[in-house]
Amino acid sequence: MQARFDPPPESGADESPAQPNPRRDFLRRGAAAGGLLAATGIGAARAAAADADAPLAVPPWTRAPGAPTGGQPYGQPSAFEKHVVRHLRPNDKQYISSSTRSPLQELDGIITPNGLFYERHHGGVPAIDPAEHRLAVHGLVDSPLLFTVDDLRRFPSESHIYFLECSGNPGYNVYGKTAAEANGLVSCAEWTGVPLRTVLAEAGVQSQAKWVAAEGADAAAMTRSIPLEKCLDDALLVYGQNGERLRPEQGYPLRLLLPGYEGNMSIKWLRRLHVTDAPVYSREETSKYTDLMPDGSARRFTFYMEAKSIITAPSGGQRLAQQGFHEIRGIAWSGRGKIARVEVSVDDGATWHDAALQEPVLSRAITRFRFPWNWQGQATVIQSRATDETGYVQPTLEALVAVRGVNGVYHNNAITPWRVAATGEITNARIKAT
Amino acid sequence: MQARFDPPPESGADESPAQPNPRRDFLRRGAAAGGLLAATGIGAARAAAADADAPLAVPPWTRAPGAPTGGQPYGQPSAFEKHVVRHLRPNDKQYISSSTRSPLQELDGIITPNGLFYERHHGGVPAIDPAEHRLAVHGLVDSPLLFTVDDLRRFPSESHIYFLECSGNPGYNVYGKTAAEANGLVSCAEWTGVPLRTVLAEAGVQSQAKWVAAEGADAAAMTRSIPLEKCLDDALLVYGQNGERLRPEQGYPLRLLLPGYEGNMSIKWLRRLHVTDAPVYSREETSKYTDLMPDGSARRFTFYMEAKSIITAPSGGQRLAQQGFHEIRGIAWSGRGKIARVEVSVDDGATWHDAALQEPVLSRAITRFRFPWNWQGQATVIQSRATDETGYVQPTLEALVAVRGVNGVYHNNAITPWRVAATGEITNARIKAT
C-alpha cells in the first residue's frame, strides 16, 4: 500500500486556544459523534482531509532503509529522548552524601527502567568483579559461611516487583521545581534473588540472635542493623533487576532488598551479614537516618516508608497547552502493603475525588493512578492523597510538621501540591508565587 | 564497623566434584543443621573460618571512593556483563528480514529490559523525529483524523504487562544452541498507551467497517489487516515501554500493540490506520506469515500465539558444574490468556511434575516457572510443557509436524528439550549427539 497524502499541517501556534483555528473548528464539528475531542478540546487532532483518499506525505524515513538490525547489541533510547535522564542535585558532596533522582515527570506505568532508577551513594559507585565478590554470614550462627555470587544464584529464587525509596525523599526540602526534584528518590523494579531466610537457615541462626548487621563493600562500608524478623520474612539477597543483572549503582553484583523499608537499609554491594543480639548502632542509624524531634530527642529505627503519592503529570515545569481534557497521572506507594485508595483534588483541597488505580495493585510496589480533568483555564492547585490497606492516610506537610517539628529531614511523606496558573504553567505550590 | 578478615579462598578447580575438597567437606559437616547445602551439595559455599571473628580481606573497591554519583545520567550495565546482548543471527538479510533475539538464558523474572528486548525489522530501524510524526485515521469513518504524538499522549491512558513474540519463533529452525537461538524472539514489557477503541470512537467507525489496515512508517511500510473486534477490544496505541518512551527498534515514537497476536501485527512506527470492510491482503499476510499446509494450501490469518514455554536455566551452552541441587527456571506464555500450569520432565519425558508459577500470573504476559531438581550426574533430557487457562497444552514438535507437515515456518510453539550430558554439558536435544 503506497497511499499518497498531502503534507499534514504543521503543529504549532495555531493550536493556541486564543486564536481562531479552522482545522480545530472543523474537527469539533466532525468529531461530534466521538465526543472526547469535541467535549475536551484535544484541538491538535485534525481532520486528515475532507476526502479520506487525499494524500499524506511519505516521510523521509520511509524513503530509505533504516539503521541495520543489531547495530546496537544492547539497545539505547532515541536521540530525541536525551533530556530524559536522572537529576543530579547541584553541588552534591561526592563520596559523602550524593544522589540522583528519577525523572518521574517523564515516566509512565509502574516499572522504572534501570537506566533511570534513582541513586543514593555514601562512597561512590564501586566497580566490583563478581568473580571476586564474597558474602560472609557469621556471628550467632552454627556454621559461618562464605558465598560467591554463583553460589547464591543456585539457591531457590523469587522475583517480586517492589518500590525502593530513600528516607530523605524529599526531606523537608520540599521546594523542588519538578516531580523529580520534589520526590524523585523513589523508583520501582522487578527484583530477583534468594530469600535471606534460606541462607540464614543454612548457617543455622542461634537462639540469642535478634539482629543482623548488613555491610556493603563500598568505600563507606555502609552498615545497618536489621531486625531478625524482617530477615526471616520477605528480605531478599538480590542479583537481578528488571530481568538483567543489577546495575553497578544498584549494588552489582549483590544487594540486600528489604521490601517497604527505607532505602538505605537495603545494603548495596553486600559483603557481610553479622548475626548479633543487638543493633550495632552504626553511623547510619545514629548520627544519620534518625528523626530529630522538637524536644531534641532522636527517634531511631524508623523502618517502614509510610503511604505516599505524587502527581507526575501535569507537574512542575510542565504547561497545559490548552483548556479542556487533561488526564492527571501519578504514582502511589506504601511500605506497609497495598495502596487502597488515591484521591485527587483540583480545587486547592476544597474537594477530593477517587482516582482510578491501574491493575495489578501490588504490595510494596508503585501503583499508577489516573484522574480525568477538564481544565477551564482557572488558576488552582492540584494534589493527590494516598491511603494504604492499613487505613493510613497520607498527611499534609502542615500535619507532619505539627507532630515532628522542622528539625528532622527524613520520612517526609507529605502531600505535594502543584500550582496551576491561568497561563497553564505548573509550579510547586510551596514556592510562593512572585 | 571495620572488620578485618583474611582473604577468602579462591573459587575454581577445587570445586570439581571429581577432586577432594576440604572446604566443601567441612561445609557439608558444618552445615548439617542447615540442610540445603548438605543435602544438595551447593559445595562452593564455604565456612568463613572455624573462628567467626577470623579475618575477611577488605577488597580493593572498599579502600577508595567509587565512581562519582551521576557519572551516568542514563545508567548502563556493568562492564562485567558485556556478554549479555541481543543475539544477531549470522548472515541476516539486512533491510529485508532481520532480527535479534533476547538472551533468555541470561534473564530472570518476567520483565525484559528494553536494551535486550528482541527485534524484528523488515526495513531497518528508522530514526523518527516525534515532532514530525503523524498518525492518520481514515477510511470508513465519519471524521478522518490526524494526530501528533502529543495529541495521543493527552488521551486517557492504560499500562499493561504483555509479552510480544514473533510468529517465526523459532520457526522450524529448532536447532538453536542456546535458549536465545532456540526461542529468543519473545520478550515481555509494561506497555503504556491509549486504547485504540478510544481513538476509533473519535473518528466514528461506520457500520460497514470490519477491518483496520495498520501501516508503519518504516522503509517496508509494514502493513497488516486487523479484525475490527480486536481493535475495539484490548488493542493499544503505545508510546511507553517499561516506564520510558519506546526505543527506536520498538517503534518510537508510536506503535500498535495487539496483546497475544503474532508480533508482526503490532505495527511499529505506526503512521496510518485505514478502516475497511475487508482485509487489504498485504504482502505480510499473503506471501509471508501464512502457514503452508501439507496439501499446499496456505492457512491465512493465524492471529493468536498459542501456549508455549522453555527452560532458560539450565539451558543450551550452560554446564552443571556439580551434582546436587539445581533450580530449573523458565518462562511460559499464551496469547489466549493466563498460564494455568507448567509441567517439567527431567527424565526425557517419562514423568512430568508441576512447576511453581511466580505470582502475579498475568494474562498475555510471560510467567516465570521454577522446579527444584537434584541432579545425580546422570545423562538425561529436561523439558517443560505449558497449559493455558483455556486448557490448551503445548505440543511436542512431532505432534505439530503430524498436523502441519514441514512446509510451514510460523507458529511453532513446540516443546524445547535440552540434553544433559553426564559431564553436565547442556545441548539442544534436537541436535544429534556426536
Side-chain angles (χ1 to χ4, degrees):
Chain A
M1 288 170 66
Q2 282 304 325
R4 302 225 158 268
F5 278 57
D6 275 331
E10 289 302 310
S11 124
D14 64 357
E15 291 172 31
S16 156
Q19 307 174 26
N21 180 336
R23 280 192 297 271
R24 189 173 60 242
D25 296 342
F26 174 96
L27 169 83
R28 284 175 168 159
R29 287 195 306 277
L36 193 59
L37 293 176
T40 66
I42 296 184
R46 303 171 191 83
D51 173 2
D53 294 329
L56 170 67
V58 175
W61 37 79
T62 301
R63 297 177 181 279
T69 301
Q72 287 187 325
Y74 190 93
Q76 299 297 331
S78 163
F80 293 97
E81 299 296 323
K82 286 196 185 304
H83 61 287
V84 183
V85 294
R86 296 183 288 210
H87 174 75
L88 178 65
R89 192 176 43 189
N91 312 316
D92 245 5
K93 290 167 292 180
Q94 287 288 344
Y95 311 135
I96 300 170
S97 176
S98 187
S99 63
T100 64
R101 294 162 185 248
S102 288
L104 302 180
Q105 67 277 9
E106 300 283 352
L107 303 181
D108 295 299
I110 68 171
I111 297 293
T112 309
N114 291 342
L116 297 173
F117 203 95
Y118 87 87
E119 301 171 273
R120 175 72 178 91
H121 310 311
H122 301 71
V125 182
I128 299 181
D129 178 349
E132 297 304 316
H133 188 71
R134 297 291 185 275
L135 172 66
V137 181
H138 68 106
L140 298 174
V141 296
D142 297 332
S143 308
L145 298 171
L146 192 66
F147 296 96
T148 66
V149 177
D150 285 345
D151 294 338
L152 293 169
R153 283 186 62 84
R154 284 190 57 195
F155 278 92
S157 60
E158 295 181 3
S159 298
H160 300 280
I161 296 175
Y162 292 128
F163 80 84
L164 201 60
E165 182 183 18
C166 177
S167 53
N169 187 38
Y172 285 116
N173 169 27
V174 293
Y175 304 101
K177 289 187 170 62
T178 66
E181 293 177 36
N183 264 298
L185 293 174
V186 63
S187 298
C188 186
E190 183 191 33
W191 308 94
T192 297
V194 185
L196 176 52
R197 61 179 177 276
T198 303
V199 170
L200 289 177
E202 295 306 315
V205 174
Q206 296 174 348
S207 57
Q208 65 273 42
K210 293 189 175 53
W211 294 75
V212 176
E215 179 185 333
D218 57 332
M222 182 73 184
T223 301
R224 287 300 310 264
S225 307
I226 304 150
L228 183 61
E229 310 79 66
K230 183 67 172 180
C231 297
L232 299 178
D233 179 15
D234 58 359
L236 286 176
L237 299 173
V238 164
Y239 46 75
Q241 181 177 2
N242 289 336
E244 64 190 351
R245 300 298 176 95
L246 284 170
R247 294 292 180 83
E249 61 269 32
Q250 292 306 322
Y252 181 87
L254 184 70
R255 79 172 299 163
L256 189 60
L257 200 291
L258 303 175
Y261 270 29
E262 56 180 2
N264 73 82
M265 298 183 71
S266 289
I267 299 295
K268 296 183 286 189
W269 314 291
L270 184 68
R271 70 184 295 257
R272 200 149 73 101
L273 294 168
H274 188 187
V275 182
T276 65
D277 59 0
V280 296
Y281 297 115
S282 71
R283 171 181 179 277
E284 285 80 14
E285 55 202 30
T286 51
S287 75
K288 302 295 179 184
Y289 299 116
T290 52
D291 297 315
L292 188 58
M293 305 303 283
D295 66 2
S297 67
R299 187 164 65 186
R300 274 194 311 234
F301 298 124
T302 300
F303 298 134
Y304 279 108
M305 300 302 289
E306 300 289 357
K308 192 171 185 176
S309 70
I310 181 173
I311 292 172
T312 56
S315 61
Q318 299 177 339
R319 178 176 169 273
L320 302 178
Q322 62 188 236
Q323 297 182 28
F325 178 81
H326 294 273
E327 185 174 67
I328 291 177
R329 299 163 184 160
I331 54 176
W333 62 97
S334 170
R336 301 287 186 179
K338 293 185 179 182
I339 288 296
R341 181 186 197 187
V342 176
E343 297 161 284
V344 169
S345 172
V346 294
D347 55 10
D348 202 3
T351 62
W352 294 81
H353 314 277
D354 282 335
L357 304 185
Q358 175 72 63
E359 292 290 340
V361 175
L362 302 172
S363 182
R364 296 169 175 168
I366 278 179
T367 295
R368 173 68 53 174
F369 68 84
R370 302 184 178 96
F371 178 76
W373 183 36
N374 197 345
W375 182 55
Q376 297 304 328
Q378 73 278 21
T380 186
V381 170
I382 61 175
Q383 55 199 310
S384 64
R385 178 171 70 190
T387 303
D388 68 20
E389 63 181 332
T390 71
Y392 175 91
V393 181
Q394 180 182 9
T396 62
L397 180 60
E398 295 66 26
L400 266 188
V401 169
V403 174
R404 298 203 210 143
V406 294
N407 295 336
V409 297
Y410 302 111
H411 310 107
N412 174 0
N413 64 322
I415 289 169
T416 298
W418 299 114
R419 176 178 291 106
V420 181
T423 59
E425 301 292 340
I426 314 290
T427 55
N428 186 329
R430 302 210 174 283
I431 303 172
K432 293 289 160 276
T434 50
Chain B
M1 289 170 67
Q2 282 304 327
R4 302 224 159 267
F5 280 57
D6 275 332
E10 290 302 311
S11 114
D14 64 358
E15 291 172 30
S16 157
Q19 309 174 23
N21 180 337
R23 280 192 297 271
R24 188 173 61 242
D25 295 342
F26 175 97
L27 169 82
R28 285 174 169 160
R29 288 195 306 275
L36 193 59
L37 293 177
T40 65
I42 296 185
R46 305 172 192 83
D51 173 1
D53 294 330
L56 170 67
V58 175
W61 38 78
T62 301
R63 298 177 181 277
T69 301
Q72 287 187 325
Y74 191 94
Q76 299 297 330
S78 163
F80 293 97
E81 299 296 322
K82 285 196 186 307
H83 61 288
V84 182
V85 294
R86 297 182 288 210
H87 175 74
L88 178 64
R89 190 176 44 189
N91 313 316
D92 245 5
K93 289 167 293 180
Q94 287 288 346
Y95 310 134
I96 299 170
S97 175
S98 187
S99 64
T100 65
R101 295 163 185 248
S102 288
L104 302 180
Q105 67 277 9
E106 300 283 352
L107 303 182
D108 295 299
I110 69 171
I111 296 294
T112 310
N114 291 342
L116 297 173
F117 203 94
Y118 87 88
E119 301 172 273
R120 175 72 177 92
H121 309 311
H122 302 72
V125 182
I128 298 181
D129 179 349
E132 297 304 316
H133 187 71
R134 297 291 184 276
L135 171 67
V137 180
H138 68 105
L140 298 173
V141 296
D142 297 332
S143 307
L145 298 171
L146 192 65
F147 297 96
T148 66
V149 177
D150 286 344
D151 294 338
L152 293 169
R153 283 187 61 84
R154 284 191 57 196
F155 278 93
S157 60
E158 296 182 3
S159 298
H160 300 280
I161 296 174
Y162 292 129
F163 80 84
L164 201 59
E165 182 183 19
C166 177
S167 52
N169 187 38
Y172 286 118
N173 169 29
V174 293
Y175 304 101
K177 289 187 169 61
T178 65
E181 292 177 36
N183 264 298
L185 292 175
V186 64
S187 298
C188 185
E190 182 190 35
W191 309 94
T192 298
V194 185
L196 177 51
R197 63 179 175 276
T198 303
V199 170
L200 289 177
E202 295 305 317
V205 173
Q206 296 175 349
S207 57
Q208 65 272 43
K210 293 188 174 54
W211 294 75
V212 175
E215 178 185 333
D218 58 331
M222 182 73 185
T223 301
R224 287 300 310 264
S225 306
I226 304 150
L228 183 61
E229 311 79 67
K230 182 67 172 180
C231 298
L232 299 177
D233 179 15
D234 58 359
L236 286 176
L237 298 173
V238 165
Y239 45 75
Q241 181 177 1
N242 289 336
E244 64 190 351
R245 300 299 175 95
L246 283 169
R247 295 291 180 82
E249 62 269 31
Q250 292 306 322
Y252 182 87
L254 184 70
R255 79 173 298 162
L256 189 61
L257 200 291
L258 303 175
Y261 270 30
E262 57 180 1
N264 73 82
M265 297 183 71
S266 289
I267 299 295
K268 296 184 287 189
W269 313 292
L270 184 68
R271 71 183 296 255
R272 200 148 72 100
L273 294 168
H274 188 187
V275 181
T276 64
D277 59 359
V280 297
Y281 297 116
S282 71
R283 170 182 178 278
E284 285 80 13
E285 55 201 32
T286 51
S287 74
K288 303 293 179 185
Y289 299 117
T290 52
D291 297 316
L292 189 56
M293 306 302 284
D295 66 1
S297 67
R299 186 163 66 186
R300 272 195 313 236
F301 298 124
T302 300
F303 298 133
Y304 280 107
M305 301 301 289
E306 301 288 358
K308 192 171 184 176
S309 70
I310 180 172
I311 293 172
T312 56
S315 62
Q318 299 176 340
R319 177 176 167 274
L320 302 178
Q322 60 188 237
Q323 297 182 27
F325 178 81
H326 294 273
E327 184 175 68
I328 292 178
R329 299 164 183 157
I331 54 175
W333 61 97
S334 170
R336 302 286 187 180
K338 293 185 178 182
I339 288 295
R341 181 187 197 188
V342 176
E343 298 161 283
V344 168
S345 173
V346 295
D347 56 9
D348 203 3
T351 62
W352 294 82
H353 313 276
D354 282 334
L357 304 185
Q358 175 71 62
E359 293 289 340
V361 174
L362 302 173
S363 183
R364 295 168 176 169
I366 278 179
T367 295
R368 174 69 53 174
F369 70 84
R370 303 184 178 98
F371 179 77
W373 184 36
N374 196 346
W375 181 56
Q376 297 304 330
Q378 72 278 23
T380 185
V381 170
I382 61 174
Q383 55 198 311
S384 65
R385 178 171 70 189
T387 303
D388 68 20
E389 63 181 332
T390 71
Y392 174 91
V393 181
Q394 180 183 9
T396 62
L397 180 61
E398 294 67 25
L400 265 188
V401 170
V403 173
R404 298 202 208 143
V406 295
N407 294 336
V409 298
Y410 302 111
H411 310 107
N412 173 1
N413 65 321
I415 289 170
T416 297
W418 298 116
R419 176 179 291 107
V420 181
T423 60
E425 302 292 339
I426 313 291
T427 54
N428 186 328
R430 302 209 174 284
I431 304 173
K432 292 290 160 276
T434 52

